[in-house]
Amino acid sequence: MVLSFFDQFMSPSYLGIPLMALALILPWTLYPKPTSQWISNRVLTLQGWFINRFTQQLMLPLGRKGHKWALLLTSLMIFLITLNMLGLLPYTFTPTTQLSLNMGFAVPLWLATVLIGMRNQPTIALGHLLPEGTPTPLIPVLIIIETISLFIRPIALGVRLTANLTAGHLLIQLIATAAFVLAPLMPTVALLTATLLLLLTLLEVAVAMIQAYVFVLLLSLYLQENV
Amino acid sequence: MPQLNPAPWFTILFFSWLIFLIVLPRKVLSHTFPNETTSRSAHTPKTEPWAWPWY
């Protein structure tokens, strides 16, 4: 079996244990249980600060009714950012490169926001399908367009995260292979490639954090429309 | 693309949601904070200007 560059994304098993299971269970050991001490250690303080500020920032545009989603959205943010960042370590498996996982989160959560809107304020929810100030002849076309854009949202949400992370990992692997192959042949070019690899890795760190944030932010925006 | 392989899709979905619903909220909720939350007030308080020096 020839190894191709896509094989890093296969759901692998080692000694009968699917690595997906390990990649989903082990990261939470990085989040220790908070103590009842007044001032805890640095790790707990940092995590608590992040959770607090993130929840505050995310809940600002949502009214009181949206505050019910605080725990879900903050947990989702912690989930995604941890999985994304840990996936950048060598030889780790990134569960968020799997389309199944991302769609599995995007579709139910998006559907929940839509159903909440339809149930609590159906007129307003349906009113989002027609922007204000549309010229009358354009109304039917625009409603169709807005409905399509509404239904594309979960697909876009899931595929955006998958594609960003998959592309990043693939690029890292490709450029690392290039640097490795070039090292005995053209050392200078290999050094330049290695520098490129370093910059790319920094970019991927940023992308990992940003994509997790974008996922949760967009969900909160969809909720804002509908809550 | 191996991600499109439908074989472990449901397992991944089920397992990831299981972890997401059981492990994470417990960890997030166990962080407690000393101050009560305040809602944003609709009006800003009117403060009177003062001109006496600091000393």
Side-chain angles (χ1 to χ4, degrees):
Chain A
M1 189 189 97
V2 180
L3 211 61
S4 77
F5 282 111
F6 284 105
D7 287 351
Q8 57 178 314
F9 303 119
M10 285 201 315
S11 301
S13 337
Y14 185 68
L15 298 179
I17 308 170
L19 288 184
M20 172 73 88
L22 288 177
L24 282 172
I25 294 180
L26 291 176
W28 320 118
T29 55
L30 288 171
Y31 293 91
K33 189 178 165 58
T35 59
S36 49
Q37 290 171 333
W38 192 295
I39 298 180
S40 31
N41 59 23
R42 280 176 288 204
V43 176
L44 281 172
T45 313
L46 264 175
Q47 289 171 358
W49 171 86
F50 176 73
I51 290 173
N52 195 6
R53 289 288 291 152
F54 178 77
T55 316
Q56 181 209 345
Q57 278 297 313
L58 201 66
M59 293 295 122
L60 269 179
L62 301 168
R64 275 202 183 265
K65 287 190 279 187
H67 291 184
K68 291 183 225 170
W69 282 64
L71 180 62
L72 191 74
L73 290 175
T74 310
S75 308
L76 187 64
M77 178 65 180
I78 303 276
F79 185 76
L80 291 175
I81 200 171
T82 313
L83 291 178
N84 286 357
M85 296 287 285
L86 284 177
L88 288 169
L89 297 168
Y91 292 105
T92 49
F93 180 71
T94 320
T96 35
T97 53
Q98 301 301 309
L99 196 63
S100 47
L101 195 146
N102 297 336
M103 293 300 280
F105 279 102
V107 172
L109 292 172
W110 162 83
L111 192 62
T113 60
V114 168
L115 290 177
I116 285 175
M118 286 294 184
R119 196 162 178 274
N120 297 345
Q121 36 182 46
T123 318
I124 301 180
L126 285 171
H128 285 305
L129 292 177
L130 187 64
E132 263 183 56
T134 320
T136 324
L138 281 176
I139 289 180
V141 176
L142 217 57
I143 293 188
I144 297 175
I145 293 177
E146 291 286 333
T147 313
I148 296 174
S149 91
L150 178 72
F151 281 98
I152 273 217
R153 278 178 181 178
I155 307 174
L157 212 53
V159 174
R160 182 187 298 113
L161 186 58
T162 314
N164 265 294
L165 263 75
T166 311
H169 283 252
L170 259 170
L171 265 176
I172 288 179
Q173 195 174 13
L174 278 168
I175 297 183
T177 313
F180 184 69
V181 166
L182 282 173
L185 303 171
M186 295 188 270
T188 326
V189 179
L191 204 62
L192 286 171
T193 318
T195 319
L196 183 64
L197 183 63
L198 181 70
L199 295 173
L200 186 67
T201 313
L202 290 174
L203 176 71
E204 286 310 313
V205 171
V207 165
M209 293 193 279
I210 290 170
Q211 285 305 318
Y213 177 61
V214 159
F215 194 97
V216 178
L217 184 72
L218 281 172
L219 268 175
S220 78
L221 281 172
Y222 302 154
L223 184 66
Q224 216 179 317
E225 283 185 355
N226 286 310
V227 78
Chain B
M1 255 180 56
Q3 287 107 317
L4 295 176
N5 181 13
W9 269 52
F10 185 71
T11 326
I12 293 177
L13 174 94
F14 178 72
F15 201 67
S16 59
W17 267 98
L18 199 71
I19 300 288
F20 176 63
L21 289 177
I22 294 180
V23 174
L24 277 156
R26 257 193 78 154
K27 289 204 177 273
V28 169
L29 271 178
S30 52
H31 283 269
T32 53
F33 304 101
N35 301 320
E36 283 296 316
T37 54
T38 53
S39 34
R40 236 182 355 178
S41 54
H43 63 280
T44 50
K46 227 182 348 185
T47 51
E48 288 181 4
W50 52 270
W52 58 87
W54 273 107
Y55 57 86

